[in-house]
Amino acid sequence: MKIQKTPSPNFNARTKPIDMLLVHYTDMESSEAALSWMTNPAAQVSSHYLIDEAGGIYQLVEEDKKAWHAGESFWQGRTNLNDCSIGIELSNPGHSHGYQPFPEAQITALISLSKKIQNRWNIPLSRILGHSDVAPRRKQDPGHLFPWKRLSQEGLGLWPQKVKPTQTLDITENLAQIGYETISLTQTILAFQRHYQPHRVDGIVDEETRSLLQGLLSLHKKLI
Ligand SMILES: [Zn+2]
């Protein structure tokens, strides 16, 4: 796997061990524009890696340093997730410039790179997530076209079976048990759907949403 170094000045020292992998899209018109932005000191943003549409991998920040990709973020009671995460940006125009499907070469490169990162730091499957999972009120990336199910089949992340929901299934409480912030329940439901029910991202909880949530909860309970 060829990795091209394009160092960014936008990083600082880590304050926590690495235990999370976050996937983003760049939301910019081209990978060149995104690389140029993330290596500009004025931007105050970066990520560890960027993968372009052709599968080219660029490293901007060393993994043992903190890159600035997650912003205000929350998962399982913890905030400031740049401290503990590795960030990978996928070049994509995003919802700002005409969201596109992720090309095969880009996803293949992401899978290879993520497997290495996951092995290197022993990142739990429940902590391989998208930006919108950890910042549901601000972010949509990587969005409903990102192939989370396929990643889970490659051993990267969790994918729930549908399980008949219990009578007591409380949506807010159970999303929180998984790790989500629930300040705006609708925004959190949208984030859950982008990840686990991508064919129906409307913020409305239906029978399938409930079954997927119950399935994800039982996976989480098995992991504890
Ligand atoms: Zn992002």
Side-chain angles (χ1 to χ4, degrees):
M1 192 170 51
K2 195 165 154 271
I3 298 178
Q4 198 171 320
K5 300 260 184 181
T6 47
S8 170
N10 302 329
F11 69 88
N12 56 355
R14 279 202 188 275
T15 49
K16 301 256 168 59
I18 295 166
D19 65 1
M20 178 175 258
L21 178 61
L22 291 177
V23 179
H24 303 257
Y25 66 41
T26 54
D27 211 26
M28 293 185 77
E29 278 162 352
S30 70
S31 59
E32 291 82 5
L35 272 178
S36 164
W37 179 240
M38 289 195 293
T39 52
N40 178 346
Q44 299 279 298
V45 294
S46 63
S47 63
H48 294 91
Y49 298 96
L50 177 139
I51 304 178
D52 68 21
E53 282 87 345
I57 305 176
Y58 301 84
Q59 182 164 18
L60 294 88
V61 174
E62 296 300 319
E63 291 180 3
D64 61 356
K65 298 289 186 289
K66 175 160 68 170
W68 303 339
H69 53 97
E72 191 190 322
S73 48
F74 176 96
W75 192 253
Q76 289 170 345
R78 275 164 58 182
T79 56
N80 299 319
L81 300 170
N82 283 336
D83 290 343
C84 64
S85 64
I86 287 180
I88 303 179
E89 289 275 358
L90 300 176
S91 181
N92 190 297
H95 289 87
S96 301
H97 302 283
Y99 188 38
Q100 296 293 319
F102 297 93
E104 176 59 30
Q106 191 177 35
I107 295 301
T108 307
L110 172 71
I111 288 170
S112 307
L113 176 64
S114 301
K115 281 182 176 174
K116 289 206 159 57
I117 294 169
Q118 200 267 333
N119 279 326
R120 191 148 50 232
W121 302 105
N122 201 18
I123 295 173
L125 297 186
S126 61
R127 297 177 67 82
I128 298 176
L129 298 166
H131 199 184
S132 76
D133 290 311
V134 300
R137 284 174 295 138
R138 298 188 304 117
K139 294 291 176 181
Q140 301 184 56
D141 61 313
H144 67 279
L145 297 176
F146 184 78
W148 285 113
K149 185 175 185 180
R150 175 162 168 207
L151 258 76
S152 76
Q153 289 161 349
E154 296 281 354
L156 296 165
L158 295 175
W159 190 260
Q161 299 295 312
K162 291 175 199 165
V163 175
K164 194 176 178 335
T166 60
Q167 290 294 327
T168 55
L169 184 82
D170 179 291
I171 300 292
T172 308
E173 191 183 307
N174 291 327
L175 285 165
Q177 279 171 1
I178 285 165
Y180 284 97
E181 164 210 285
T182 55
I183 293 169
S184 162
L185 182 58
T186 303
Q187 298 295 337
T188 302
I189 291 164
L190 285 167
F192 178 87
Q193 289 178 322
R194 278 183 208 111
H195 192 137
Y196 301 105
Q197 196 185 16
H199 49 281
R200 196 176 182 285
V201 183
D202 59 3
I204 297 165
V205 174
D206 68 356
E207 198 54 29
E208 188 182 49
T209 320
R210 295 168 68 85
S211 305
L212 289 165
L213 181 56
Q214 186 73 55
L216 190 58
L217 269 171
S218 43
L219 279 179
H220 271 254
K221 283 187 180 135
K222 269 183 222 156
L223 291 170
I224 292 167

